[in-house]
Amino acid sequence: MIVAMKADATPDEIQAVVDRITSFNLKALNMPGGERTAIGIASAIPPDLRETLAELLGAMPGVDRVTHVSRAYKLASREFHPADTVITVKGVSIGANEVVVAAGPCAIEGREQLFEAAKAVKEHGAKILRGGAFKPRTNPYSFQGLGIEGLKLLKEAGEQFDLVTVTEIIDQHDLDTVAAHADILQVGARNMQNYPLLTALGKATQPVVLKRGISATIDEWLLAAEYILAQGNESVILCERGVHPLDREHTRYTLDLSAVPVVKTLSHLPVIVDPSHACGNWRYVASMSKAAIAAGADGLLMEVHPDPPRALCDGSQSLRIETFASLMKELRAVASAVGRSLV
Ligand code: PEP
Ligand code: MN
């Protein structure tokens, strides 16, 4: 439910509405706008209270109108927050006009590999360095990541090449350690519905990249974002990375590009696209990256490796540095064709 105040509502009238909402044990959210304030109710309202509450609040001094939010998610919805959310980390803004590229290896394998990738992606225009230290592998015998050693390398590479860093967190107990080494925390597709992890990230100070679950609907994904937002962390970046495929013969997952405009309509949160995990094959990454920008994505998350055949993880979908460099040129043209920039 959203209570829109009149443009000339006084601070006391606004406070009275907030107090009335909290007197029902509901969470009131003050949303000051350019011309007027709105107050949102960020809790589930018991069905038998809905109409009475709407009438009660509608009759209070300074109230213009009361509208019901039709979606189960509140803080993630555009109804609650009409303007686009822009998340700025160390001077890099995600969700603004500029399309932001995050690139780097799937897994941090060592200093030489990470630093070579970092240097190259920076040189060709990426603003964010990706690299996994804790890898959620399907096979328990596969390389699981360098852990804390990987995090230290990521931090060092970020500082050396002036790149914002993003890395995956798979366990809420690692939060302090991961947060001490990375600028953005990533929730992988496998953990989109790990609610204790989402709740812990809601209390973190870093922005969170929330990947869409492999079989998650758009509403389930936005409700997962709501878990983080509800704890007070307003910086959630949604990442479409492909959903369970009909045909695994040619691509690893199916990139749901229509999710981009759909989520942009339903939510104010920035949306980025990971074509690497969606395709599972480097040959298709360029096409899907261009399509993602044309579809309105605010950024891309891509795997780039100095020597893909020798990668310890996801080499088949990783771009070589030269391929990444030429793709970035094409992406600039697509961005400008759709009224966006890409530096
Ligand atoms: C990743 O980005 O490193 C990753 C594991 O991706 P996903 O969670 O989308 O599978
Ligand atoms: Mn990967």
Side-chain angles (χ1 to χ4, degrees), residues 2 13 32 78 85 94 99 157 196 337:
I2 296 176
E13 287 169 342
R78 229 187 236 287
T85 283
I94 304 137
V99 174

Side-chain angles (χ1 to χ4, degrees), residues 106-107 130 135 252 277 303 313-314 317:
C106 175
R130 67 146 288 148
K135 296 303 302 174
R252 191 173 175 192
H277 289 89
E303 289 186 341
C313 185
D314 288 349
Q317 66 197 33

Side-chain angles (χ1 to χ4, degrees), residues 106 130 132 135-136 168 186-190 211-212 214 241 252-253 274 277 301 303 314:
C106 175
R130 67 146 288 148
K135 296 303 302 174
E168 181 167 354
Q186 178 175 318
V187 177
R190 290 158 189 79
K211 289 211 167 181
R212 180 180 181 180
I214 291 158
R241 48 78 72 208
R252 191 173 175 192
Y253 298 96
D274 172 350
H277 289 89
L301 179 69
E303 289 186 341
D314 288 349

